[in-house]
Amino acid sequence: MLLAVGAIAMLPAEAQQQSPTPMRKATPRTIFEALEGEAPGEGYVVINQSAELKKLVGGTSARYRAILGREGNTTLMHGYRIQVYNGNLVTSKAEMDRRAAQLRRLAPEYSCYPTYNAPFWRLVVGDFVSDNAARAARAKLLKVMPAWFQESYIVRDKVRILNYNPDKHEY
């Protein structure tokens, strides 16, 4: 009787052993790929959605792709800028103005946008349609002014793009 109980107790342990060649999941490109599929030790998930819905999930929302307005040959839209300064000290306005002047002198191809939103003074640079373009510009500016561009980062903002053509830009 002890032998029978021992044999039964061993059955579930054998069923849970992994196969000698474990399957590896490829890096998922979408949330659907991350959830679907099969892997050892995990369940199996099937998601039934239309192709249109799968294209929308995880993409840039139409809100951020929308053109907000046009004025002459300039288009106002959601895009990216590089934030290079943010401060709320007594000397913050003077520091922001000093950095803006230095930036205009060393990199005149980029527009500077100083703003005040109580209690912060902020300086952002450039008008970029994509984050890749903003990253490339940030890398270029990091070489010109490494001391304070190391603390810079990319932010979403409303931007003004000159002669914007949506067919030439990717999101």
Side-chain angles (χ1 to χ4, degrees):
M1 184 156 153
L2 284 174
L3 236 31
V5 171
I8 293 173
M10 296 300 283
L11 286 177
E14 285 183 31
Q16 301 237 352
Q17 289 181 351
Q18 292 186 351
S19 63
T21 57
M23 295 171 31
R24 293 189 179 258
K25 278 187 174 180
T27 304
R29 292 179 305 209
T30 66
I31 187 68
F32 294 108
E33 288 180 7
L35 293 174
E36 288 180 327
E38 184 176 2
E42 296 180 10
Y44 185 75
V45 176
V46 176
I47 299 174
N48 295 314
Q49 290 297 334
S50 66
E52 293 82 21
L53 181 62
K54 284 186 177 183
K55 278 179 24 182
L56 291 174
V57 173
T60 305
S61 97
R63 172 180 166 210
Y64 290 113
R65 287 192 313 262
I67 293 175
L68 302 173
R70 292 187 188 269
E71 184 176 302
N73 59 352
T74 304
T75 303
L76 178 65
M77 61 186 296
H78 290 284
Y80 299 87
R81 290 193 170 139
I82 306 164
Q83 182 168 314
V84 297
Y85 183 73
N86 189 35
N88 66 347
L89 301 174
V90 173
T91 59
S92 291
K93 182 178 185 317
E95 175 65 15
M96 180 194 65
D97 290 338
R98 186 185 68 75
R99 288 189 183 198
Q102 183 179 4
L103 191 62
R104 287 184 187 111
R105 190 176 69 253
L106 295 174
E109 66 271 23
Y110 299 112
S111 301
C112 294
Y113 299 97
T115 59
Y116 179 71
N117 189 3
F120 294 99
W121 290 96
R122 181 179 128 175
L123 179 63
V124 292
V125 177
D127 293 297
F128 306 101
V129 173
S130 70
D131 63 336
N132 290 335
R135 289 179 199 283
R138 183 182 175 276
K140 182 180 172 185
L141 290 170
L142 184 59
K143 292 176 185 173
V144 176
M145 294 169 266
W148 43 274
F149 262 89
Q150 288 178 343
E151 298 174 8
S152 67
Y153 53 93
I154 309 299
V155 295
R156 289 198 57 87
D157 207 347
K158 291 178 184 172
V159 298
R160 296 186 185 285
I161 307 296
L162 187 64
N163 298 322
Y164 175 71
N165 182 353
D167 298 330
K168 290 184 180 180
H169 294 89
E170 285 186 23
Y171 290 95

PDB file of all heavy atoms in Angstrom, residues 7 18 66 91 137 154 163:
ATOM      1  N   ALA A   7       3.961   5.845  -5.496  1.00  0.00           N
ATOM      2  CA  ALA A   7       3.935   5.917  -6.966  1.00  0.00           C
ATOM      3  C   ALA A   7       2.960   6.993  -7.425  1.00  0.00           C
ATOM      4  O   ALA A   7       3.247   7.740  -8.378  1.00  0.00           O
ATOM      5  CB  ALA A   7       3.551   4.554  -7.543  1.00  0.00           C
ATOM      6  N   GLN A  18      10.175  20.026 -17.150  1.00  0.00           N
ATOM      7  CA  GLN A  18      10.278  20.742 -18.422  1.00  0.00           C
ATOM      8  C   GLN A  18      10.894  19.841 -19.472  1.00  0.00           C
ATOM      9  O   GLN A  18      11.650  18.928 -19.185  1.00  0.00           O
ATOM     10  CB  GLN A  18      11.126  21.997 -18.262  1.00  0.00           C
ATOM     11  CG  GLN A  18      10.468  23.040 -17.404  1.00  0.00           C
ATOM     12  CD  GLN A  18      11.286  24.322 -17.394  1.00  0.00           C
ATOM     13  OE1 GLN A  18      12.382  24.361 -17.885  1.00  0.00           O
ATOM     14  NE2 GLN A  18      10.720  25.361 -16.816  1.00  0.00           N
ATOM     15  N   ALA A  66      -2.572  64.758 -34.612  1.00  0.00           N
ATOM     16  CA  ALA A  66      -3.449  65.762 -35.208  1.00  0.00           C
ATOM     17  C   ALA A  66      -2.722  67.074 -35.445  1.00  0.00           C
ATOM     18  O   ALA A  66      -1.913  67.512 -34.648  1.00  0.00           O
ATOM     19  CB  ALA A  66      -4.649  66.002 -34.301  1.00  0.00           C
ATOM     20  N   THR A  91      17.300  83.013  -8.740  1.00  0.00           N
ATOM     21  CA  THR A  91      18.181  83.292  -9.883  1.00  0.00           C
ATOM     22  C   THR A  91      17.803  82.507 -11.138  1.00  0.00           C
ATOM     23  O   THR A  91      18.511  82.564 -12.141  1.00  0.00           O
ATOM     24  CB  THR A  91      19.627  82.941  -9.505  1.00  0.00           C
ATOM     25  OG1 THR A  91      19.669  81.544  -9.136  1.00  0.00           O
ATOM     26  CG2 THR A  91      20.128  83.804  -8.362  1.00  0.00           C
ATOM     27  N   ALA A 137      19.024  65.655 -32.489  1.00  0.00           N
ATOM     28  CA  ALA A 137      19.396  67.041 -32.198  1.00  0.00           C
ATOM     29  C   ALA A 137      19.999  67.146 -30.800  1.00  0.00           C
ATOM     30  O   ALA A 137      20.980  67.870 -30.596  1.00  0.00           O
ATOM     31  CB  ALA A 137      18.181  67.949 -32.316  1.00  0.00           C
ATOM     32  N   ILE A 154      13.995  64.824 -23.610  1.00  0.00           N
ATOM     33  CA  ILE A 154      12.980  65.058 -24.635  1.00  0.00           C
ATOM     34  C   ILE A 154      11.613  65.166 -23.970  1.00  0.00           C
ATOM     35  O   ILE A 154      11.265  64.351 -23.119  1.00  0.00           O
ATOM     36  CB  ILE A 154      12.962  63.893 -25.660  1.00  0.00           C
ATOM     37  CG1 ILE A 154      14.364  63.595 -26.190  1.00  0.00           C
ATOM     38  CG2 ILE A 154      11.971  64.165 -26.774  1.00  0.00           C
ATOM     39  CD1 ILE A 154      15.026  64.717 -26.904  1.00  0.00           C
ATOM     40  N   ASN A 163       6.659  74.428 -43.357  1.00  0.00           N
ATOM     41  CA  ASN A 163       6.413  73.642 -44.578  1.00  0.00           C
ATOM     42  C   ASN A 163       6.189  72.159 -44.269  1.00  0.00           C
ATOM     43  O   ASN A 163       6.777  71.284 -44.886  1.00  0.00           O
ATOM     44  CB  ASN A 163       7.572  73.795 -45.563  1.00  0.00           C
ATOM     45  CG  ASN A 163       7.739  75.214 -46.023  1.00  0.00           C
ATOM     46  OD1 ASN A 163       6.766  75.939 -46.233  1.00  0.00           O
ATOM     47  ND2 ASN A 163       8.977  75.649 -46.167  1.00  0.00           N
TER      48      ASN A 163
END
